[in-house]
Amino acid sequence: MDTPLYALGATQLLERYRDRSLSPVEVTQAVLARIAQWEPHIHATYALDAEAALAQAKAAEARWAAGAPQGMLDGVPVTLKENIATLGTPTPLGSAATVLAPAPADAPAAARLREAGAVIVTKTTMPDFGFLGASPSSFHPLTRNPWDFSRTPGGSSSGAAAAAAAGYGPLHLGTDIGGSVRIPAGFCGVFGLKPSHGRVPVDPPAAARVIGPLARNVADAALLMKVVSQPDARDYMSLPPQAIAWDTLQRSPKGLRIGLWLDTRTDWAVDAEVRTAVEAAARLFEQAGAIVEPMTDWTTDDMRLGLTHFFTMRCRVELAAMPPERAALTARYIRAAAEFAGKLSPEDTFRAFSRLQLLHAATVAATQPFDFVLSPVSPGLPFAADAINSGSSHPLKDSHFTSAFNQSGQPAASINCGHSRSGLPIGLQIAARRFDDLGVLQMARFYESVRPEQAAWPEPQ
């Protein structure tokens, strides 16, 4: 059976454009039709402009016909999370409290995509200010998981992951400050990469915040990294430009020392089905010659208290900058976080930064002996679509395995490693030492090549 046009990978599309067997217009039309099928169910898009997308596709078609493609992604459909600014489109940040004004310029990643000729089909949804590993938003309709509409796609790159799983084209960009690419990638069964901090220029830059690709396969994500990791002077925290062989993905894990992080210093345990799937993935690395060793949880409640205090204080500061009538429009979870932060002293806020530094140092020290670290992405399965978390009394449980690598700046990816008995995806996290983004992609590609056959992608009902 022929692969539908909307489901072709970016590398496949470029080959077909090159030999003139396929047109960017045909592909964009197929993607738009796919979106029309899915959107009544999952609500993953924001500011969809079919006319503009088709105009971009027609321009790409003309360039290919003239034998003069514009760049590495000419005519390839992409989506961007709505907080990645695109010229002329408001960026609501998932919140009804945001004053909508056209963005004055493309953000660095959006600018690189346009320069490469990509067709920006739509923006994608997120929760208020990217605060959740879930999708409820005071601005966007509730985004749902294509695998099960009663379940969350995760967050905060909720729409990006749902779009990737549903087949809204091959390439998607999200942002990640505590797991916001990897958690939704894990919940939606797609590949997602959180690059090293500074690898992809961000405007405005911030500690722990990164932009990363989501796709149905590792090679497409690597191709997207090749484009968006190019320099942009607006990010004063970005890494120096580096000639990385993003398409050199073949590598054996033989002889590598790999840590397996499954146990935690908490009173909760990883879901049994999640644990079983991650252990099975680790055995495949071991069978290929890697030395896999269990790791002790290096994080503490005190370190994670720093995360809680920092992010709730961020909510308080955001709301304090708004007129009260606008602040009242934010989601209840943002207002609750701001209220909690109001009880913190200046000393508590300073200690939050100190605790984040401790988490950074502890993560680097614990992972330094290993070439790579394997773990779950999330300790549990996708939870209810309208919930803000898995319901645990531990508010940071859902990001337990992901947030440490934001603080340390290390690259980490999510790749599907199985499904629960109920058919829900399970994500394997692969992390590396800082700057080894290519190594993470290579280990993900190895696992992709040896994992059991994957379930068929979901279809709209």
Side-chain angles (χ1 to χ4, degrees), residues 184-416:
F187 280 2
C188 291
V190 302
F191 179 75
L193 173 68
K194 181 201 83 68
S196 296
H197 186 261
R199 179 69 71 201
V200 177
V202 179
D203 182 32
R209 180 182 295 148
V210 299
I211 288 175
L214 298 99
R216 286 185 170 187
N217 63 73
V218 177
D220 278 358
L223 176 60
L224 188 50
M225 282 297 298
K226 191 173 184 179
V227 172
V228 298
S229 63
Q230 295 176 65
D232 193 295
R234 288 174 285 179
D235 186 349
Y236 51 82
M237 298 174 74
S238 62
L239 297 174
Q242 187 176 350
I244 296 174
W246 294 107
D247 51 358
T248 309
L249 297 177
Q250 300 302 316
R251 180 182 177 187
S252 169
K254 185 176 181 179
L256 295 176
R257 189 180 180 195
I258 295 179
L260 179 59
W261 180 24
L262 276 168
D263 296 313
T264 66
R265 298 186 194 182
T266 62
D267 59 4
W268 53 263
V270 173
D271 178 272
E273 290 186 280
V274 173
R275 187 182 184 98
T276 296
V278 172
E279 287 175 334
R283 283 194 294 273
L284 293 177
F285 283 86
E286 205 164 34
Q287 290 165 11
I291 303 160
V292 179
E293 304 172 33
M295 296 181 71
T296 301
D297 191 3
W298 61 87
T299 70
T300 66
D301 287 344
D302 193 59
M303 292 173 188
R304 293 186 177 280
L305 187 64
L307 282 169
T308 301
H309 287 182
F310 177 83
F311 284 109
T312 54
M313 186 57 74
R314 175 191 162 200
C315 291
R316 185 169 181 80
V317 170
E318 294 271 6
L319 296 195
M322 300 177 185
E325 62 274 13
R326 292 216 68 86
L329 299 176
T330 58
R332 175 60 194 156
Y333 55 81
I334 296 292
R335 286 179 278 129
E339 289 166 11
F340 171 83
K343 302 171 186 175
L344 301 178
S345 67
E347 291 79 10
D348 289 329
T349 303
F350 178 80
R351 289 189 196 99
F353 284 96
S354 300
R355 286 166 171 146
L356 293 181
Q357 289 174 327
L358 287 173
L359 180 57
H360 182 161
T363 302
V364 171
T367 59
Q368 190 61 31
F370 299 97
D371 296 294
F372 300 94
V373 172
L374 305 180
S375 75
V377 172
S378 174
L381 298 170
F383 44 87
D386 59 357
I388 63 171
N389 57 40
S390 59
S392 169
S393 59
H394 300 272
L396 292 175
K397 173 185 173 183
D398 300 331
S399 61
H400 187 91
F401 292 100
T402 55
S403 58
F405 296 113
N406 290 85
Q407 295 307 312
S408 67
Q410 294 170 247
S414 171
I415 186 167
N416 186 250

Side-chain angles (χ1 to χ4, degrees), residues 5 85 240 395:
L5 297 186

Side-chain angles (χ1 to χ4, degrees), residues 1 18 96 110 138 154-155 183 191 200 269 365 382 384 389:
M1 182 177 174
R18 198 169 289 114
S138 63
I183 292 171
F191 179 75
V200 177
N389 57 40

Side-chain angles (χ1 to χ4, degrees), residues 93-164:
L93 307 178
S95 180
T98 305
V99 176
L100 298 181
D106 283 332
R112 301 295 84 76
L113 288 172
R114 288 200 204 274
E115 292 162 5
V119 175
I120 298 176
V121 176
T122 185
K123 309 295 286 290
T124 54
T125 58
M126 62 184 285
D128 286 58
F129 308 126
F131 188 71
L132 299 179
S135 63
S137 161
S138 63
F139 181 85
H140 301 294
L142 182 63
T143 305
R144 297 177 180 272
N145 194 319
W147 293 92
D148 182 340
F149 301 153
S150 73
R151 304 291 179 138
T152 183
S156 65
S157 301
S158 311

Side-chain angles (χ1 to χ4, degrees), residues 62-81:
R63 291 191 292 268
W64 280 107
Q70 180 171 304
M72 287 183 280
L73 295 177
D74 206 2
V76 176
V78 301
T79 78
L80 289 83
K81 188 175 178 181

